Amino acid sequence: MRPDDANIAGNVHGGTILKMIEEAGAIISTRHCNSQAGEPCVAALARVERTDFLSPMCIGEVANVSAEITYTSRHSVEVQVNVMSENILTGAKKVTNKATLWYVPLSLKNVNKVVEVPPIQYARKEQEDEGKKRYEEQKLDRLETKQRNGDVILPVINPEPHTVSYSQSSLIHLVGPSDCTLLGFVHGGVTMKLMDEVAGIVAARHCKTNIVTASVDAINFHEKIKKGCVITVSGRMTFTSNKSMEIEVFVDADPFVDEPRERYRAVSAFFTYVSLSKEGKPLPVPQLLTETEDEKRRFEEGKGRYLQTKAKRQAQMQQAAQQ
Amino acid sequence: MRPDDANIAGNVHGGTILKMIEEAGAIISTRHCNSQAGEPCVAALARVERTDFLSPMCIGEVANVSAEITYTSRHSVEVQVNVMSENILTGAKKVTNKATLWYVPLSLKNVNKVVEVPPIQYARKEQEDEGKKRYEEQKLDRLETKQRNGDVILPVINPEPHTVSYSQSSLIHLVGPSDCTLLGFVHGGVTMKLMDEVAGIVAARHCKTNIVTASVDAINFHEKIKKGCVITVSGRMTFTSNKSMEIEVFVDADPFVDEPRERYRAVSAFFTYVSLSKEGKPLPVPQLLTETEDEKRRFEEGKGRYLQTKAKRQAQMQQAAQQ
Amino acid sequence: MRPDDANIAGNVHGGTILKMIEEAGAIISTRHCNSQAGEPCVAALARVERTDFLSPMCIGEVANVSAEITYTSRHSVEVQVNVMSENILTGAKKVTNKATLWYVPLSLKNVNKVVEVPPIQYARKEQEDEGKKRYEEQKLDRLETKQRNGDVILPVINPEPHTVSYSQSSLIHLVGPSDCTLLGFVHGGVTMKLMDEVAGIVAARHCKTNIVTASVDAINFHEKIKKGCVITVSGRMTFTSNKSMEIEVFVDADPFVDEPRERYRAVSAFFTYVSLSKEGKPLPVPQLLTETEDEKRRFEEGKGRYLQTKAKRQAQMQQAAQQ
């Protein structure tokens, strides 16, 4: 991990870690999908499941990324990626991240054609059944999120501190060749890195302290983004608890040269950030001031997600304690 | 702004800011030129007007870049870009740069064809007249600078300190895919970043202190630079005042593989640098020792530009004080 | 040299220097091979001779890279590259590296065709004879190393500290457009940078201190690596002396999408590292524990190379003292 991968406090950006995770996932699933004599293809990221950043990674540490294919449907691959940070001077290792990604193999000759995935062998029958269950769940969730895509973030003049408008942010990026796969589409990891960058700016503007990514909700890649597009990545705060902030991030693509197409929503996700003191301890977060009806509704929805995650985590801890 | 964008003292390189400005300008003008059902095209940078670096930008700050189209001729677009630095911890914002850029739209199918620019609507008739005046002025200036293109910078053995030869510098760069636009030509911003890099080395060699870009004179892009070229960026000091240094920078392209063409001058410009103490205060600059007739002539020409800029700035301040 | 080019102690990575050397070599040899009206071509790196890192380069210093063609055979070019570090604040300059590289020109139209090299003029007949001798020697050495290519590095569970398995490391990298030449093959410099990265991780894992590249043995590029490949770079320690570590690095390529080809060994080399205290003084290195017969054999081979280099250096010093 190099200085450019980290914030001023020396913590590696969540986006940098997401980018590494996605590269590992893309490699293993592309390799698998080309393992049998079929049509040559490249795996495109379709979805990343909710993931927690369990411990910080620092400049000078080595990131160990390992990936495994855990399920295959006819047209998709589920990959489990684990990231560990290793301080090579002390030898200390820590799990920083566990992520589940879904890929779809696209034909190298015809990017609109999804090719068939060679099935994997399961050690036990239950593994296949559990995988199938996860497959059905993510399919449903992807359909649902696609319907929320009309929403946009517009600039506001002279907003008050701690309002949604005050911290909302956006950046534009011209998609160059080095952002793209062999098929000429943006790597999922590049997109997630930009999303984390915008979410981080929103969080820092709100609480004016050092902030780090705590978790990312499921990220759905609705549509591919082609080389030469301009992408607008925009973020706004939706919810604050005592010690965390939830930021909604949209990625919109403008195919502004080649095609006569309109701007479209390519990706959307929720990022959760925490505020840290100089010693790395969690700080209280100023409460978000909601002004409009929409902002109040989104705050309640965010609260729902927050409570649900909290309950799930407590259940897991109890389960772990009983074992 | 990341560590790699800045010098050892933490000040972001002028070249990094120029690169962002150009990216914003290229996006807005390409989008505008494709806004009507015409031939798909990409905007290529033709010229950047003289621009001052008004206040420094530092590592960890967020750069806010906004762009607006202020004039269109039949075949060119004028873009005004403003850059603000924002310290997201304190919330402090400062204008760091205001720049005016001229773009020419080139057809995606035939890179040698300039397509027509859709006209913009002006709020007031005077805006169009003023824009037309600026258009004519830059056209004339571009013609003039093109004629000065025969000059080259050659290495000198064992030069004395504070002479022109002592600090002159050059670098070569192989133009790769990630430096280029969709048309396979180098982004104007990439070129300007390299020019600032060389100018900064010349300035540091001369005064052996921490230095920052203070302003850049009009930059004219005489010719496109194609992927696969080797470019030689060379700089020499032309003039020193008590507290500033002027450096002339040339960009020469060698189309060394594909084409049988000779080396040609692609871009040229004057950069002005100031020397700073560790506390960030301007330091006196050692006077440039001129040896040859050409060096003395260029020193006088530099002095002319320096006095002209100084007079113009004083006039603006008086005007501002009267309002 | 920027923060990203260096390790935590501020020393520029050997890999960054190797990358610059290779870029200079590729430019000068491509330019030479296209200097006569023949088939357009791009020079591909075939081999780098053994090279020492004579003194460290630091962040903020300027690297001066100069290159010269010293020999041409019918189908290859020998380039001598010198690197100097310059502290532009004090003006101090030091030689950091002298390297000899061999390039082969490949046709732009048919990447499998090696084109003819225009002969250079020698100032003295002996220069040609000495060049021819170096040419024959490297040709022989390339043939020999190609035969050692079956060896692989496999992960080991729970290894003991200071064993070979304990520090062995590998990384994978997806070859993107910005890693490649005009012909769509990975730049030799990009490969060497990754090799140095892995070797550095192996060295740091073994001795848990700040480490720097001291020298690199001859690097042979057995085969080209194409865009879209996944490369696995793996390293293991082979030998330790009192104050140095030798690490063997392999680069294997998986042409996993386009072609039905098997994984192949593309490059291999030995890197030598030293361990430094915080004050930059050499530290003793823990002895490598060899477990298997192969490890013991490789240790003895490494010792042979170490003693040979030591003897050669002493002979050179005596020769220099006598002159």
Side-chain angles (χ1 to χ4, degrees), chain B residues 23-42:
Chain B
E23 194 175 56
I27 289 173
I28 194 174
S29 49
T30 301
R31 186 186 283 155
H32 176 74
C33 295
N34 287 284
S35 63
Q36 288 182 5
E39 208 168 328
C41 61
V42 172

Side-chain angles (χ1 to χ4, degrees), chain C residues 135-148:
Chain C
Y135 169 73
E136 298 295 346
E137 279 170 4
Q138 62 90 25
K139 206 172 162 182
L140 194 67
D141 190 63
R142 281 172 66 187
L143 263 178
E144 277 172 13
T145 40
K146 210 166 182 174
Q147 288 153 5
R148 286 205 307 264

Side-chain angles (χ1 to χ4, degrees), chain A residues 3-4 6 8 166 172-174 177-178 193 197 200-201 204-205 208-210 227-228 230 232 254 256-258 263, chain B residues 2-5 23-24 26-27 30-31 34 40-42 59-60 62 64 86 88-91 108 177-178 180 182 187:
Chain A
D4 250 34
I8 327 180
Y166 182 77
I172 52 171
H173 175 72
L174 180 58
S178 54
K193 194 162 181 275
E197 209 170 308
I201 291 172
R205 274 183 169 152
K208 303 196 180 306
T209 54
N210 177 30
K227 188 165 76 181
V230 169
T232 304
D254 269 307
F256 75 153
V257 175
D258 268 13
R263 173 183 288 215
Chain B
R2 287 176 288 224
D4 249 34
D5 300 321
E23 194 175 56
I27 289 173
T30 301
R31 186 186 283 155
N34 287 284
C41 61
V42 172
I59 298 176
V62 171
N64 292 287
E86 178 189 1
I88 45 177
L89 302 191
T90 66
L108 205 57
S178 54
C180 292
L182 279 184
H187 284 290

Side-chain angles (χ1 to χ4, degrees), chain A residues 34-35 40-41 108 182, chain C residues 112 185 223-229 254-264:
Chain A
N34 287 284
S35 63
C41 61
L108 204 59
L182 279 183
Chain C
N112 295 314
F185 293 115
E223 294 215 37
K224 297 185 289 280
I225 305 169
K226 218 175 151 180
K227 187 165 76 182
C229 277
D254 268 306
F256 75 152
V257 175
D258 268 13
E259 289 173 81
R261 225 186 129 177
E262 289 290 297
R263 173 182 289 213
Y264 60 90

Side-chain angles (χ1 to χ4, degrees), chain A residues 53-125:
Chain A
F53 290 80
L54 305 166
S55 75
M57 171 124 35
C58 298
I59 298 176
E61 290 187 334
V62 171
N64 292 287
V65 184
S66 58
E68 189 192 0
I69 295 180
T70 42
Y71 181 75
T72 51
S73 75
R74 197 176 157 203
H75 286 305
S76 69
V77 179
E78 186 199 48
V79 183
Q80 179 72 38
V81 182
N82 294 321
V83 184
M84 291 181 72
S85 66
E86 179 189 0
N87 182 324
I88 45 177
L89 301 191
T90 66
K93 286 187 187 184
K94 278 183 185 172
V95 174
T96 58
N97 214 291
K98 293 182 179 197
T100 306
L101 300 92
W102 292 90
Y103 287 88
V104 171
L106 303 177
S107 163
L108 204 59
K109 285 162 203 157
N110 173 3
V111 293
N112 296 314
K113 183 180 165 195
V114 179
V115 306
E116 294 214 2
V117 174
I120 57 163
Q121 303 298 324
Y122 301 92
R124 298 192 321 276
K125 178 71 173 72

